[in-house]
Amino acid sequence: MKLLTWSHNRNPFIILIPISILLIISFLALYSISVHQNIAFYKSAFFRQLVFLVIGIIAMIAMYSLPLRLYHKYSILIYAVAVVSILIPYFMNNPTGANRWIYFGTVGVQPSEYAKWISIILLARYLSDRKKRMDKLSSFFIPIAIIAFPALIVFGQPDLGTATIMMAPIIAILYWVNARQYHLFLIIAPIISIITAFHTISFTIWAIVLTIVIILSEKKLWNGVVVFFGNIFLGLLAPVLWNVLQPYQQKRILTLFNPELDPLGAAYQIIQSQTAIGSGGLFGKGWMQGTQTHLKFLPVQESDFILSVIGEEFGFFTVLLVFIMYAFIIYKMLQFAYITREKFTSIILVGVATIFLAQIFVNSAMTVGLIPVKGLPLPFLSAGGSFLVSSFMMIGMVLNFASHWSD
Amino acid sequence: MLKTINDADLRRYFSLIILAFLVFGLLGVKFFQLQVAQHKKYKEKANINSIRIERLSAPRGSIFDRNGKTIVDNAPTYVLNVIPNQIDNLNSTFTIISNLLNIDTSVFNTNYRKNYRGYFSPVRIVKDLSLEQILLVEEHRLDIPGIEYDQIQERNYPGDINGAHFLGYVKEVDSRSIQNVDNPEQYRHGDLVGWQGLERVYEDKLKDKKGIEYKAVDAYGRTMGAFIQRDKIHPEPGEELRIAIDVDLQQYIENLLSGRRGCVIVGDPNTGEIISYVNSPTYPPDLFTGTTQPDTWNKILNDPDKPLLDRNAKGLYPPASTFKMIILAYLLENKLINPNRQIYCSGEYRYGNRTFGCWEETGHGGVNFDRSLIESCDVYFYQVIQDIPLKEWSKICSQFGFGSKTGIDLPSESRGVVPDKEYLDKLYGKRGWTSGVKLNLSIGQGETLVTPLQLFTYINLFYTHGKTYQPHFSLKTETNEVALPNISESTWRRLNRLLYRVVSDRKGTGKLADPKIDGLKVAGKTGTAENPHGEPHAWFIGFAEKDDQVRSFVVLLENAGHGGEEAAPITRQFLRFIYDSKLKEQADEVADLES
């Protein structure tokens, strides 16, 4: 435990400092955006975000105040409520064609934002209640099902971005509860097999890696052979199945994973975002001076591309500050996960940390063109009511659970 | 205390922290690459992205007459624009406006097609609207979204003169017309360019110096305001042009010719300045700028009287008897004639087996050198031309400027035709003509064709004894002296005297041209040009002088009859207007009352 004490302030409230800094940057950027939007102040993203900030803080305090055992006791019930609520949009008449929102009059709530951490609570309960050792591949089935079930519903909404974020914690949590690394590898392997199958060299390299890992890890020869050929067969089958599809079906799938194929031009968005960020330089163009931002070259700048606005107006150093703040928050969450007393809370903290990390990575990588465009917001920076309140609720849980540490 | 104690593994804890830091490290590197390493590239890109260079216009130079009266200036006019992206149904919108303004939808459709520049750019569909019409449109603006009005500067003609043939007009440059613009690189789509007449010739002077404004534009190309980092370059208005035209005289002569086909040039023989330049029938100078309805257009285009034709510079006519001075000058210069020798005119002249008539069918009797011009006896010229080789005749005609351009400051003029041997060979074949054609040529008939403008220079030469300038409208421009026919002073003087007698002599063919004003001396020469289109064209060319004020003139009336009977009286009327001070005062009073 000595290792942990070198820097470690165990006061969980320290994470409110980076959050406050992020919020200040967020409101500066949102104000800058609102200035040129030429709409009534109370309709601006800045003002709306202020309102949601208040709601968010109240929600955070509520989550902090709830007794720990209530989370544990009602985890199944709230999971059920969450699953029902992400199904509700399918039955509402959505003009956009996307079944993501539940409308209460003019106010829309996006239930998937809450479902993503609610499912972690149930998973944590499942994994912590049973003293089951995660030494068999079959023991992965229920944990994966708990996460994948709501994720699939969200995927169908369709919201690939949020579904991806929902799935992200499963690997980290299984790793955290001492699942065998080889088993985790076996979960990921089929996905890599399918993706690399379309590129001969990649597939060859992947086959070699697969062989080495199996030889080193698999004790039973027969199992190793099945795993190897299973993956290779899957890889070889993928292009064949692909070619069976009609071109329009192929295109629909490709667009889902790579919106750049969309004629509305996601590539255009990436280019504009890169231009905004790149032209910002070290110190930025100055507050409210971003030409890309103010001339609306940047799409959805108050939510998905808020980091481009910050990059353009405040420059590299501020972006770096943003990343340091995020890194600090995630570092603290993982630290709390390590030192908290309960396995239940430890798992939830790892899950929350993974959700934040995945969310930050997918959004930031998207804005600089590292990965295809996914409509995902950045915690505490992007405008968006459901998302901000949800983020604050997760922080409320973190503060709550981190207060129960072991010595 | 829940069921299970946290038993997290320290190694796995560190692994996750390292993973998280790797993620942020990767992002940091990527942002560093964009914002620091490639900053310059993206900065330039951002600039190009968001700046649009807009050209600013200033008013085109105005045109004033010799007395400083405005002939052409600029006036704001209301136009209607359509913004394509804001329109759902173009046709129904056009129908609504059409009913409101009582303008045919075809006008809108034509303009829309012509002016369309992009989905977000306003397209002008109609111009020259009155304030009332704009108000009417504004009242109904809820029914017609995507329609907005605007004000533009347009050429305006405050005076009452037409003068369209020399003023010309301006045109908006478009993809088709740019090919006929002199310095196409200086123009952009929508700029005004002088297209005809003085507007074209003095384009460099009249046109404004464009300014540049850097506008910030958004991702859709919509203007968001000025781009602050780059200074605006202000446009400069075009220079003013002062021309020799006298609008009062111009207007007077236009009215005089109203209803007739013909043309008049009045000018100053000493300088070559053109003071009046009238074509009839004519058309209003804003015909090409205004909202001309298609049927008006068709009427003008199909009018058999050809109102669009600039008769002065491009109409080709036989010069008839106005040409006779050329032969007389040649005879005197080459001492080919005894001026006192009489030639008998019986009213006709036999040459070979052909008979050539004199215009005076009863004959002039004995005609000497002087009487031949005063009474314009054709027989005299049938006789004397036989001593002049065709080649010599063609040469001296050319020396007087016929067969070549006068060099007037208009975009185009005709050369006319001075027949020579090659020309006739080509026309009729080598053996197709005889020396008999010379007889027709001697009286300005036959194959010779001249423009009234050429006759203007020609008559100026007589007044100035060979020292006149190329005709011109501009008051300032230095123009070239006309290349001199090599004629002695005594010849000039003698012919000059004769020209005065054409008007003052009891038997002079031009006597009807004299307004009989004290101190005013009028000289001239009549012409009656036979032509295949009916009645002969009536010519009267000459000059008048009182005190120091000299005016030379050319009058042509198509198919009107005899020059002395038709063209000379017209001359008398405008000479009276020019030289009768009482008449002028009256006209000024009328003008004052009207204004």
Side-chain angles (χ1 to χ4, degrees):
Chain A
M1 289 307 111
K2 216 180 173 187
L3 260 171
L4 284 177
T5 50
W6 47 275
S7 69
H8 302 117
N9 185 338
R10 289 186 171 192
N11 179 1
F13 292 96
I14 198 166
I15 63 167
L16 293 180
I17 294 170
I19 288 171
S20 306
I21 291 170
L22 290 170
L23 285 169
I24 290 167
I25 294 171
S26 166
F27 278 101
L28 286 174
L30 289 177
Y31 185 80
S32 176
I33 294 165
S34 300
V35 162
H36 68 81
Q37 272 180 337
N38 205 12
I39 49 173
F41 179 67
Y42 68 90
K43 280 183 180 167
S44 67
F46 178 83
F47 179 77
R48 289 163 61 93
Q49 192 73 348
L50 262 182
V51 174
F52 288 120
L53 176 64
V54 175
I55 299 170
I57 289 171
I58 293 167
M60 175 179 76
I61 293 168
M63 296 298 277
Y64 171 71
S65 314
L66 282 176
L68 176 56
R69 54 187 174 78
L70 287 185
Y71 284 98
H72 187 261
K73 190 174 175 187
Y74 295 111
S75 54
I76 296 174
L77 181 68
I78 54 171
Y79 180 82
V81 170
V83 168
V84 170
S85 65
I86 54 175
L87 281 168
I88 289 175
Y90 282 95
F91 302 101
M92 292 185 103
N93 186 18
N94 276 295
T96 55
N99 301 310
R100 294 182 196 176
W101 301 83
I102 300 174
Y103 288 99
F104 300 99
T106 56
V107 184
V109 173
Q110 197 178 344
S112 54
E113 289 294 352
Y114 304 94
K116 69 187 177 192
W117 51 263
I118 287 172
S119 49
I120 286 172
I121 296 175
L122 182 66
L123 177 63
R125 167 138 183 216
Y126 173 81
L127 290 173
S128 62
D129 280 5
R130 285 156 191 74
K131 293 204 172 155
K132 204 172 169 188
R133 291 183 63 92
M134 303 297 290
D135 51 2
K136 282 189 186 142
L137 200 54
S138 58
S139 52
F140 285 7
F141 179 75
I142 290 172
I144 291 176
I146 289 172
I147 299 289
F149 180 52
L152 276 174
I153 297 172
V154 171
F155 178 73
Q157 280 179 347
D159 188 351
L160 176 67
T162 307
T164 309
I165 300 302
M166 289 175 84
M167 289 300 289
I170 185 72
I171 306 291
I173 286 171
L174 288 175
Y175 178 73
W176 189 249
V177 296
N178 295 326
R180 278 193 63 192
Q181 288 172 26
Y182 174 62
H183 288 162
L184 294 173
F185 175 80
L186 290 184
I187 299 175
I188 303 166
I191 302 167
I192 301 176
S193 298
I194 292 172
I195 294 170
T196 53
F198 294 90
H199 191 250
T200 317
I201 296 169
S202 307
F203 192 62
T204 313
I205 294 168
W206 167 241
I208 295 166
V209 172
L210 189 66
T211 315
I212 293 167
V213 172
I214 290 169
I215 290 170
L216 290 178
S217 312
E218 186 60 70
K219 289 177 189 83
K220 291 174 187 161
L221 177 69
W222 186 239
N223 284 355
V225 170
V226 168
V227 169
F228 180 79
F229 283 104
N231 272 295
I232 297 299
F233 180 68
L234 199 60
L236 294 176
L237 198 63
V240 177
L241 285 176
W242 178 254
N243 289 330
V244 170
L245 294 176
Q246 295 292 321
Y248 77 91
Q249 291 170 317
Q250 294 178 351
K251 199 178 169 200
R252 200 178 290 172
I253 293 171
L254 283 174
T255 310
L256 188 67
F257 288 96
N258 184 2
E260 289 196 21
L261 298 168
D262 189 326
L264 285 175
Y268 172 82
Q269 297 185 348
I270 292 288
I271 290 162
Q272 297 302 344
S273 169
Q274 286 180 333
T275 308
I277 293 167
S279 61
L282 280 176
F283 301 101
K285 294 177 186 169
W287 187 37
M288 303 202 284
Q289 302 294 314
T291 53
Q292 294 284 295
T293 302
H294 285 252
L295 302 173
K296 302 187 177 108
F297 282 95
L298 274 181
V300 280
Q301 40 183 273
E302 68 281 351
S303 58
D304 296 358
F305 285 94
I306 188 94
L307 196 58
S308 315
V309 176
I310 294 167
E312 187 186 22
E313 298 203 343
F314 304 129
F316 178 67
F317 285 127
T318 307
V319 171
L320 214 54
L321 176 70
V322 166
F323 287 148
I324 290 168
M325 294 302 104
Y326 279 138
F328 181 74
I329 292 167
I330 285 161
Y331 162 67
K332 289 308 279 187
M333 286 177 180
L334 289 174
Q335 191 201 338
F336 299 148
Y338 186 70
I339 63 179
T340 188
R341 191 180 54 201
E342 309 291 339
K343 190 170 185 179
F344 176 65
T345 54
S346 172
I347 291 169
I348 294 175
L349 286 169
V350 168
V352 168
T354 318
I355 286 174
F356 272 99
L357 183 64
Q359 192 102 30
I360 293 160
F361 174 73
V362 171
N363 179 288
S364 310
M366 167 194 79
T367 58
V368 290
L370 282 175
I371 59 167
V373 174
K374 296 279 171 292
L376 278 183
L378 265 182
F380 308 113
L381 288 180
S382 295
S386 298
F387 179 63
L388 184 70
V389 172
S390 164
S391 300
F392 267 112
M393 288 171 92
M394 284 190 271
I395 295 300
M397 284 196 298
V398 170
L399 295 176
N400 187 342
F401 302 160
S403 306
H404 305 269
W405 63 73
S406 57
D407 293 304
Chain B
M1 189 57 200
L2 302 170
K3 289 179 186 172
T4 321
I5 290 292
N6 181 11
D7 57 349
D9 179 45
L10 188 66
R11 249 189 38 217
R12 297 199 173 202
Y13 164 57
F14 281 131
S15 306
L16 284 187
I17 287 175
I18 289 165
L19 174 75
F21 285 168
L22 279 178
V23 165
F24 286 111
L26 172 68
L27 291 175
V29 167
K30 183 67 192 180
F31 272 81
F32 180 85
Q33 187 200 356
L34 283 180
Q35 298 199 275
V36 185
Q38 298 178 329
H39 171 57
K40 233 178 137 178
K41 168 183 149 191
Y42 284 109
K43 195 179 164 188
E44 254 164 47
K45 209 170 157 187
N47 281 341
I48 296 165
N49 234 352
S50 53
I51 301 176
R52 184 166 67 202
I53 295 171
E54 283 198 359
R55 286 153 61 83
L56 300 176
S57 301
R60 197 174 165 84
S62 299
I63 302 177
F64 299 98
D65 88 338
R66 64 188 300 115
N67 301 314
K69 291 189 180 172
T70 310
I71 304 177
V72 188
D73 60 7
N74 305 285
T77 173
Y78 288 105
V79 300
L80 278 190
N81 292 331
V82 168
I83 302 159
N85 70 317
Q86 294 176 12
I87 294 258
D88 295 330
N89 188 336
L90 207 59
N91 284 333
S92 71
T93 307
F94 283 175
T95 311
I96 295 172
I97 310 171
S98 169
N99 292 334
L100 284 175
L101 303 180
N102 200 18
I103 294 172
D104 199 76
T105 50
S106 66
V107 175
F108 304 145
N109 280 314
T110 313
N111 286 330
Y112 185 82
R113 265 196 308 273
K114 206 177 80 186
N115 297 330
Y116 185 88
R117 258 163 254 169
Y119 196 51
F120 296 99
S121 308
V123 186
R124 188 202 302 159
I125 53 163
V126 64
K127 59 182 183 176
D128 290 338
L129 297 179
S130 65
L131 187 62
E132 288 73 26
Q133 285 174 306
I134 292 299
L135 290 175
L136 213 57
V137 171
E138 281 297 288
E139 275 173 30
H140 293 79
R141 73 168 307 136
L142 289 180
D143 306 330
I144 40 175
I147 296 281
E148 56 169 36
Y149 72 90
D150 195 6
Q151 229 186 17
I152 59 163
Q153 293 284 323
E154 202 180 57
R155 277 318 223 185
N156 179 49
Y157 305 89
D160 294 318
I161 65 164
N162 284 317
H165 293 102
F166 63 90
L167 291 173
Y169 57 93
V170 294
K171 192 170 180 168
E172 275 176 33
V173 173
D174 58 34
S175 46
R176 197 142 35 107
S177 60
I178 189 94
Q179 292 160 8
N180 296 317
V181 171
D182 289 337
N183 300 306
E185 69 286 348
Q186 296 177 8
Y187 297 88
R188 298 285 177 277
H189 202 124
D191 285 354
L192 289 179
V193 63
W195 192 248
Q196 280 301 336
L198 297 176
E199 295 272 20
R200 178 166 197 146
V201 172
Y202 293 105
E203 168 68 7
D204 287 341
K205 198 176 154 94
L206 290 169
K207 80 167 179 214
D208 58 331
K209 261 211 187 104
K210 299 287 178 201
I212 291 176
E213 189 173 18
Y214 299 91
K215 284 271 179 76
V217 291
D218 71 2
Y220 309 103
R222 293 178 299 201
T223 307
M224 306 303 287
F227 184 81
I228 326 144
Q229 286 91 326
R230 296 281 285 273
D231 283 337
K232 176 171 158 180
I233 300 170
H234 289 275
E236 288 171 30
E239 279 177 61
E240 289 172 354
L241 178 67
R242 188 107 175 245
I243 58 175
I245 291 287
D246 176 340
V247 287
D248 297 330
L249 182 63
Q250 174 79 16
Q251 193 191 341
Y252 182 81
I253 300 175
E254 279 181 8
N255 291 338
L256 214 55
L257 289 199
S258 158
R260 311 191 68 162
R261 271 186 293 122
C263 54
V264 172
I265 301 173
V266 179
D268 184 335
N270 286 318
T271 58
E273 285 171 6
I274 290 173
I275 294 164
S276 268
Y277 190 90
V278 178
N279 279 290
S280 183
T282 182
Y283 59 94
D286 59 356
L287 180 74
F288 293 93
T289 39
T291 352
T292 307
Q293 303 273 0
D295 47 334
T296 315
W297 247 117
N298 288 330
K299 219 175 113 191
I300 289 172
L301 281 176
N302 300 325
D303 190 333
D305 289 348
K306 296 184 184 156
L308 294 177
L309 175 66
D310 178 2
R311 291 172 156 79
N312 280 323
K314 288 192 239 173
L316 291 174
Y317 307 92
S321 302
T322 60
F323 238 44
K324 286 176 176 167
M325 290 88 88
I326 296 181
I327 290 169
L328 295 184
Y330 184 85
L331 294 173
L332 281 181
E333 280 300 292
N334 295 283
K335 305 203 166 42
L336 288 172
I337 194 98
N338 171 6
N340 296 320
R341 178 190 158 197
Q342 292 216 346
I343 290 169
Y344 183 75
C345 168
S346 65
E348 58 176 45
Y349 183 82
R350 287 196 68 81
Y351 181 79
N353 51 3
R354 287 177 65 191
T355 305
F356 292 84
C358 180
W359 69 269
E360 187 67 87
E361 287 163 18
T362 55
H364 288 99
V367 178
N368 65 8
F369 182 89
D370 289 357
R371 303 307 304 177
S372 75
L373 193 71
I374 297 166
E375 296 181 38
S376 201
C377 176
D378 293 342
V379 171
Y380 187 90
F381 288 87
Y382 297 146
Q383 177 66 48
V384 298
I385 189 71
Q386 294 176 38
D387 300 332
I388 307 173
L390 178 63
K391 207 171 115 190
E392 289 294 306
W393 179 83
S394 303
K395 198 174 127 195
I396 191 164
C397 286
S398 305
Q399 282 175 346
F400 273 98
F402 297 103
S404 50
K405 293 184 173 183
T406 64
I408 192 175
D409 43 0
L410 284 179
S412 58
E413 58 175 314
S414 296
R415 289 174 188 278
V417 177
V418 173
D420 54 10
K421 193 170 171 298
E422 287 76 31
Y423 181 86
L424 292 167
D425 280 350
K426 224 173 155 186
L427 197 64
Y428 301 111
K430 267 200 181 250
R431 294 182 191 282
W433 58 282
T434 64
S435 54
V437 296
K438 273 204 312 195
L439 272 66
N440 266 334
L441 295 177
S442 74
I443 58 162
Q445 293 289 153
E447 291 75 14
T448 316
L449 291 172
V450 303
T451 66
L453 198 56
Q454 287 173 329
L455 285 181
F456 175 68
T457 301
Y458 169 70
I459 196 68
N460 285 350
L461 284 169
F462 285 97
Y463 177 79
T464 57
H465 295 190
K467 290 188 172 57
T468 191
Y469 291 86
Q470 288 180 341
H472 54 96
F473 287 96
S474 167
L475 267 182
K476 276 187 182 168
T477 318
E478 293 292 319
T479 49
N480 304 322
E481 206 167 317
V482 173
L484 283 178
N486 198 8
I487 289 167
S488 66
E489 189 60 29
S490 63
T491 303
W492 284 124
R493 233 181 285 135
R494 177 158 198 150
L495 289 174
N496 236 328
R497 258 201 324 269
L498 287 179
L499 287 172
Y500 280 111
R501 287 182 65 192
V502 168
V503 178
S504 59
D505 193 277
R506 191 174 50 86
K507 282 188 169 174
T509 52
K511 62 187 179 205
L512 290 179
D514 191 354
K516 303 237 164 33
I517 294 170
D518 281 349
L520 179 70
K521 291 197 297 174
V522 183
K525 181 71 196 83
T526 55
T528 303
E530 302 292 340
N531 65 83
H533 307 293
E535 286 287 297
H537 301 318
W539 282 112
F540 192 69
I541 70 173
F543 41 83
E545 187 172 19
K546 185 190 174 190
D547 306 327
D548 280 339
Q549 201 185 15
V550 197
R551 293 289 179 260
S552 56
F553 46 82
V554 174
V555 177
L556 170 75
L557 294 172
E558 288 183 8
N559 306 114
H562 281 270
E565 286 157 23
E566 298 294 332
I570 291 277
T571 309
R572 183 180 66 221
Q573 281 180 274
F574 68 71
L575 285 179
R576 187 174 291 147
F577 182 82
I578 297 170
Y579 290 101
D580 191 334
S581 45
K582 278 182 212 153
L583 206 70
K584 208 148 191 186
E585 277 162 24
Q586 275 174 8
D588 284 346
E589 273 169 34
V590 171
D592 285 346
L593 282 175
E594 276 173 358
S595 65

